Amino acid sequence: MKFNKPAWVVVLGSLAVLVGCGGGGGDSNSSTPAPGLGVTGTAAVGYPVANGTVSLKCASGATATTTTAANGTWSVSIPSGAAPCIVRVSGGTANGQALASPLHSILQSAGTVNVTPLTDLIVAKLAGQSPASWFNSVSGSQLAAITTANISAALGVVNSVLASLPGQPALPNGFNPISSSFTADQTDPGDVVLDDYATALASAGMTRDEASNAVATGATTLTDEVQGVYVIAPNVENAAELQGSLARRSTGAVTLTIPDSRPGQGTKTLTASNGDGNGWTTGVTSNGGFNGYLSFLGNRVGQVCVPGTYEWDFDDGRRSEYVYVSNELTEVTDFAEIAGKQFTQYVACAYRNIQMSDVTAVGYTGTYTDPLSGQSSTSAWTWSGNVNFPGLYTGPFTPNVKVFRYSAGGTTTHVLVYNYTPSSVHIAISN
């Protein structure tokens, strides 16, 4: 918007240090801002940032301050021609907790300017340094980096960063983190993605500032690999089928994220360090309640264990709570494909000296080799039967049995996944 004003008003307006007004609560130094362009926005981290201090520095030398309202909204006025500007929100609280560090954003002209962890990434990309450092030292000429082309490139980095994180959060269709209006109410898609980003960062073992600083130094991803994973968990009468994700970082750490929809479960994460060539068989660094982890096929398949046993479990204090399978694998629906194949079985995150053969949709043949005597015994097993599991479930219990295929380098490996008891899910890898 362009204002038609007397010349003396223009002169005074260009010299004034502007103060906030309006929806964010304003600045106590003035209740009548100088004529100019209105800027409004929302400061949020998934929850609104309440009572935060909003500060603007503009290329013209103009500045402005205001305070965010309880719902995170704020507004100020800047002189015509003052932009581009950098914006910072500091202090205040979100969900009753003090804002851990300032957030930053930018504006090219009047309108909506949100300040969130995602806009912080955009500023990091534009600045090539930490957003906080840039705000503290930025000059008017440096703010010339705030161009449409540069912002578009920075948005591309934001999309790449999100896709590299556990859970692969994504911007809502048509949503611009800077200029799209949203309500910080935990339900608006523009706010939900902030929650998802925070969860994904925590799952990857990173802080918000670490992410912004990584982008400032040229990073376009925050993990080296992220995979969608199909998760099977034990459940009475059938298996819970869940969607999770797995991310790997250059440090060798891998983080598995499982949003468990079963009652009383919630999202669980496991971070483990790189172990042997088969995967992360040891080295759980952030156990999230887990006490065992096995992985195969370059970590595309894994078994995760929790403490505790039932009387039919092994006695080493582990129970197979989840098995995950990367979306890179293909589900096999015709069991004839695995006819004649031998499988090595893993239960409670360990090999238990059991080989499986003659696997069909009905059952299998199991051969157990005693580790002390070396003697083997073979029995036929069916997938279902009137089996009692004291204290948990009384049969008949019907496991959920699935077969997956993975092909690479001319070799095809089959993976058998089944919850053979109501409390654990087993895995077997073809030999």
Side-chain angles (χ1 to χ4, degrees), residues 100-101 121 197-198 200-214 222 249:
S101 57
L121 291 178
Y197 177 57
L201 281 181
S203 297
M206 300 187 74
T207 67
R208 188 176 70 231
D209 286 345
E210 285 174 337
S212 290
N213 290 338
L222 298 181
R249 297 179 65 182

Side-chain angles (χ1 to χ4, degrees), residues 189-253:
D191 195 48
V192 171
V193 70
L194 298 178
D195 270 328
D196 292 344
Y197 177 57
T199 299
L201 281 181
S203 297
M206 300 187 74
T207 67
R208 188 176 70 231
D209 286 345
E210 285 174 337
S212 290
N213 290 338
V215 169
T217 57
T220 58
T221 60
L222 298 181
T223 62
D224 297 297
E225 176 186 4
V226 65
Q227 304 170 359
V229 293
Y230 172 81
V231 182
I232 298 178
N235 199 26
V236 171
E237 296 188 18
N238 210 328
E241 299 176 6
L242 314 166
Q243 290 297 321
S245 66
L246 183 140
R248 181 161 46 198
R249 297 179 65 182
S250 58
T251 59

Side-chain angles (χ1 to χ4, degrees), residues 254-288:
V254 60
T255 299
L256 174 68
T257 302
I258 303 173
D260 194 336
S261 57
R262 295 178 298 165
Q265 298 297 315
T267 298
K268 297 182 178 181
T269 61
L270 168 74
T271 299
S273 57
N274 199 345
D276 64 23
N278 292 322
W280 287 262
T281 56
T282 59
V284 174
T285 55
S286 177
N287 63 26

Side-chain angles (χ1 to χ4, degrees), residues 7-21:
W8 63 271
V9 174
V10 174
V11 172
L12 290 177
S14 65
L15 295 176
V17 175
L18 300 177
V19 294
C21 67

Side-chain angles (χ1 to χ4, degrees), residues 59-70:
S60 69
T63 63
T65 62
T66 191
T67 304
T68 62

